[in-house]
């Protein structure tokens, strides 16, 4: 068995978390709170470190006074805590964050997720894969076509589209199961290799 | 019939214990079930095998510790392959827990002689999500004036001559969510990009390989095992695949018997109702 205190703590916490599968208990609740607390603590330390390395040090040590602008905008986010009369100050950095975020994302969404995906779907019918991709895409699109009363052909296409959507959901579910098994394997590996030393390979 | 009905009423805790046993036994005594190599893994391997000693790649960590058992084996397999071939690695993190995870993975290589700042470096985490990603993909040193260990990044030898992603040979991202952020923000830069995603996110990421926006795709533990095999470095992921396969067989059996039991019960109930009428 391991003599590392850290591994013992991890193993006992793992057992406490899995005990929830049998019934909810105090050990599970305690570990749940510790996990949330540790994650919050880590985030606070990381946030503080970010302020020091990306704000304080460039400003004080590097004399980069342009850093004052993002620092001031960051502080403005906390203005409402000084009094409700300062609520308006928060809107300036928030509008800046939302504007920059939307600008960066929308531009690339159009190119990377619409135009490039669209062009990747326009394929010659020279392989079974290509035929499935092109007809499958059209069939799925027809399923979401609600503009006018569907004809018999559109209904048939929509039905095929529905089946393709179901197959996609099935593939996603299969992957979800596979992923969850991997997570469980990871825990079993930790418990029986690093803690108990039963797995030796 | 009664046996089939009883199967549907088995206590779920019995199923949990069965699943753990089925996963544990092949990990202790491997069976050696054959693993085939997928097209996506082959593409990723082909892309990375073109790298020469001395080339630099960026590894972007975008997963939390709770997704690590599925994604981390890929990171381990890639790090082993790249470091063995003397390829330099710059790690960045879109996720807050990323720097800590990267540091843990890099430590064994540092202990075995790889030099921090020359063979690898950990630039840390930048808050801001996709906006941050867009920034550091284009200018690493401006976005990270200091690395995770507090060094000034402009003095690190590994970053000399490197401004952003196009100055490196590949961008590999590891994520426990979707690949879309990287496709959007790194996709238009001139650098081959390889995605290593959690298994659940695979169906959403595959269209990006098909369109050529990703040069390769590795999905979860299975792809890690495949990568270990194609690089002739079998490790932990290959060892875990027997458990993975047997786990799937057991779950399939659960689903089949659960459904049979359900239909048998339903047909009995219907027959009972008709008898009363």
């Amino acid at each position: 068995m391991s003599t590392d205190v850290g591994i013992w703590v991890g193993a006992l916490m793992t057992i406490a978390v899995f005990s929830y599968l049998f019934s909810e208990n105090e050990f599970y609740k305690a570990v749940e709170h510790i996990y949330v607390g540790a994650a919050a603590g880590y985030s606070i330390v990381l946030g503080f470190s970010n302020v020091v390395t990306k704000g304080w040090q460039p400003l004080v040590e590097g004399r980069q006074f342009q850093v004052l602008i993002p620092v001031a905008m960051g502080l403005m986010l906390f203005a409402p805590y000084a009094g409700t009369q300062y609520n308006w100050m928060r809107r300036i950095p928030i509008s800046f964050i939302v504007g920059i975020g939307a600008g960066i994302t929308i531009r690339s969404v159009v190119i990377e997720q619409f135009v490039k995906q669209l062009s990747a779907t326009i394929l010659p019918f020279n392989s079974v894969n290509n035929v499935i991709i092109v007809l499958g895409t059209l069939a799925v699109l027809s399923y979401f076509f609600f503009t006018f009363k569907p004809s018999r052909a559109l209904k048939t296409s929509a039905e095929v589209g529905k089946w393709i959507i179901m197959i996609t959901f099935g593939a996603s579910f299969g992957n979800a199961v596979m992923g969850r098994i991997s997570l469980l394997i990871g825990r079993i590996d930790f418990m029986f290799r690093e803690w108990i030393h039963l797995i030796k390979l | 019939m009664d046996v089939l009905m009883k199967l549907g009423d088995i206590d779920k805790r019995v199923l949990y214990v069965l699943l753990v046993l089925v996963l544990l036994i092949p990990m202790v005594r491997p069976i050696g079930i054959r693993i085939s190599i997928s097209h996506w893994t082959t593409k990723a391997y082909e892309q990375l095998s073109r790298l020469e000693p001395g080339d630099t790649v960026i590894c972007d960590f975008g997963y939390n510790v709770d997704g690590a058992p599925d994604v981390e084996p890929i990171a381990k397999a890639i790090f082993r392959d790249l470091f063995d071939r003397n390829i330099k690695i710059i790690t960045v993190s879109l996720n807050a827990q990323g720097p800590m995870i990267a540091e843990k993975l890099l430590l064994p290589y540092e202990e075995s002689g790889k030099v921090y700042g020359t063979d690898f470096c950990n630039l840390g985490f930048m808050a801001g999500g996709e906006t941050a990603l867009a920034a550091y993909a284009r200018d690493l040193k401006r976005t990270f004036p200091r690395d995770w260990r507090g060094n000034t990044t402009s003095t690190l030898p590994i970053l000399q001559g490197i401004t952003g992603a196009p100055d490196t040979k590949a961008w590999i991202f590891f994520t426990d969510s979707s690949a879309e952020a990287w496709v959007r923000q790194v996709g238009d830069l001139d650098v081959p990009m390889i995605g290593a995603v959690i298994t659940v996110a695979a169906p959403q990421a595959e269209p990006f390989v098909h369109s050529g926006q990703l040069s390769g795709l590795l999905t979860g533990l299975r792809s890690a095992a495949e990568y270990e095999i194609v690089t002739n470095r079998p490790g932990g992921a290959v060892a875990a695949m027997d458990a993975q396969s047997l786990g799937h067989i057991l779950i399939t059996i659960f689903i089949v018997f659960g459904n049979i039991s359900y239909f048998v019960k339903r047909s009995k109930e219907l027959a009972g109702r008709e008898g009363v009428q």
Side-chain angles (χ1 to χ4, degrees):
Chain A
M1 263 190 151
S2 172
T3 51
D4 188 325
V5 179
I7 287 176
W8 270 85
V9 171
L12 294 177
M13 283 185 150
T14 303
I15 292 170
V17 169
F18 278 124
S19 70
Y20 178 80
L21 295 172
F22 289 82
S23 68
E24 192 165 347
N25 58 72
E26 296 306 314
F27 293 110
Y28 167 76
K29 283 182 194 166
V31 172
E32 190 183 29
H33 287 97
I34 290 168
Y35 180 79
V36 173
Y42 178 79
S43 300
I44 289 169
V45 170
L46 199 71
F48 181 75
S49 163
N50 263 341
V51 171
V52 171
T53 57
K54 291 162 184 99
W56 181 258
Q57 285 173 342
L59 187 66
V60 176
E61 295 169 16
R63 301 281 170 198
Q64 296 170 21
F65 293 108
Q66 72 272 25
V67 177
L68 277 172
I69 298 168
V71 168
M73 287 178 90
L75 289 172
M76 284 162 79
L77 285 169
F78 296 96
Y81 295 111
T84 49
Q85 69 269 34
Y86 301 114
N87 273 356
W88 62 272
M89 290 179 81
R90 184 170 53 178
R91 289 183 207 133
I92 297 167
I94 286 179
S95 60
F96 186 80
I97 292 167
V98 172
I100 292 280
I104 284 177
T105 310
I106 289 169
R107 177 193 67 86
S108 46
V109 161
V110 173
I111 298 166
E112 300 295 331
Q113 284 182 269
F114 184 68
V115 177
K116 286 188 183 173
Q117 283 298 305
L118 194 67
S119 60
T121 318
I122 302 167
L123 298 164
F125 280 8
N126 56 5
S127 72
V128 178
N129 269 353
N130 286 3
V131 172
I132 292 171
I133 288 168
V134 174
L135 296 183
T137 305
L138 292 174
V140 171
L141 286 173
S142 70
Y143 180 76
F144 295 100
F145 205 70
F146 307 119
T147 313
F148 50 79
K149 199 176 175 198
S151 64
R152 199 170 167 185
L154 188 61
K155 271 184 185 170
T156 310
S157 173
E159 189 64 19
V160 174
K162 189 176 84 182
W163 276 94
I164 290 170
I165 293 169
M166 290 302 152
I167 291 167
T168 310
F169 287 158
S172 289
F173 177 71
N175 274 291
V177 171
M178 196 170 170
R180 299 307 164 202
I181 292 281
S182 298
L183 298 182
L184 184 55
I185 287 172
R187 276 297 84 193
I188 291 174
D189 189 68
F190 169 76
M191 296 289 287
F192 292 94
R193 187 192 299 276
E194 294 183 40
W195 186 44
I196 300 183
H197 296 173
L198 183 66
I199 302 170
K200 299 196 188 298
L201 295 163
Chain B
M1 281 293 198
D2 282 349
V3 178
L4 286 173
M5 282 180 70
K6 277 179 186 169
L7 277 174
D9 295 329
I10 293 175
D11 190 331
K12 63 185 177 188
R13 289 171 288 195
V14 175
L15 303 183
Y16 297 147
V17 174
L18 261 177
L19 183 60
V20 170
L21 285 175
V22 164
L23 297 180
L24 176 62
I25 293 166
M27 289 170 83
V28 178
R29 290 194 181 277
I31 309 163
I33 296 172
R34 194 176 157 272
I35 302 166
S36 58
I37 311 298
S38 74
H39 176 58
W40 306 134
T41 305
T42 308
K43 277 183 77 110
Y45 169 70
E46 283 171 358
Q47 184 64 47
L48 292 177
S49 65
R50 288 189 205 116
L51 299 173
E52 301 285 340
D55 284 347
T56 306
V57 300
I58 294 175
C59 290
D60 196 342
F61 283 80
Y63 65 89
N64 285 312
V65 285
D66 50 0
D70 201 32
V71 188
E72 201 156 285
I74 313 174
K76 282 181 180 171
I78 288 180
F79 272 26
R80 196 144 66 111
D81 177 39
L82 297 183
F83 276 131
D84 280 0
R85 294 194 284 135
N86 291 320
I87 289 154
K88 297 173 182 179
I89 297 175
I90 299 167
T91 67
V92 288
S93 301
L94 186 66
N95 190 298
Q97 294 177 16
M100 180 180 67
I101 294 168
E103 201 70 14
K104 187 188 82 177
L105 293 177
L106 291 166
L107 186 66
Y109 297 99
E110 191 169 15
E111 287 172 350
S112 66
K114 294 286 177 189
V115 181
Y116 187 88
T118 306
D119 298 315
F120 70 94
C121 70
N122 182 6
L123 297 186
F125 161 70
M126 170 53 79
E130 216 168 308
T131 315
L133 172 58
Y136 65 69
R138 284 154 184 81
D139 197 331
L140 289 165
K141 280 177 273 193
R142 274 186 71 185
T143 317
F144 296 101
R146 285 178 190 268
D147 65 9
W148 180 247
R149 299 187 183 186
N151 306 302
T152 309
T153 48
S154 56
T155 62
L156 294 176
I158 192 173
L159 289 176
Q160 300 311 309
I162 290 175
T163 304
D167 304 313
T168 62
K169 296 291 179 184
W171 184 295
I172 308 163
F173 63 87
F174 306 96
T175 179
D176 58 3
S177 58
S178 105
E180 290 169 5
W182 285 274
V183 170
R184 284 197 289 265
Q185 301 308 332
V186 188
D188 61 344
L189 300 176
D190 186 22
V191 64
M193 187 162 51
I194 289 162
V197 303
I198 197 163
T199 315
V200 183
Q204 286 80 36
E206 283 181 8
F208 297 123
V209 195
H210 169 72
S211 63
Q213 289 164 282
L214 291 180
S215 303
L217 180 66
L218 299 160
T219 56
L221 186 65
R222 161 87 197 195
S223 287
E226 292 173 12
Y227 196 83
E228 285 181 353
I229 289 169
V230 291
T231 53
N232 277 326
R233 294 177 181 89
V238 170
M241 278 315 293
D242 282 345
Q244 177 87 272
S245 304
L246 291 185
H248 290 172
I249 291 169
L250 185 69
I251 285 174
T252 308
I253 291 169
F254 287 167
I255 292 170
V256 169
F257 279 102
N259 275 283
I260 290 172
S261 172
Y262 168 75
F263 283 113
V264 168
K265 262 187 200 170
R266 201 174 69 164
S267 64
K268 273 202 162 184
E269 278 172 13
L270 287 173
R273 271 186 221 159
E274 281 167 11
V276 170
Q277 283 166 359

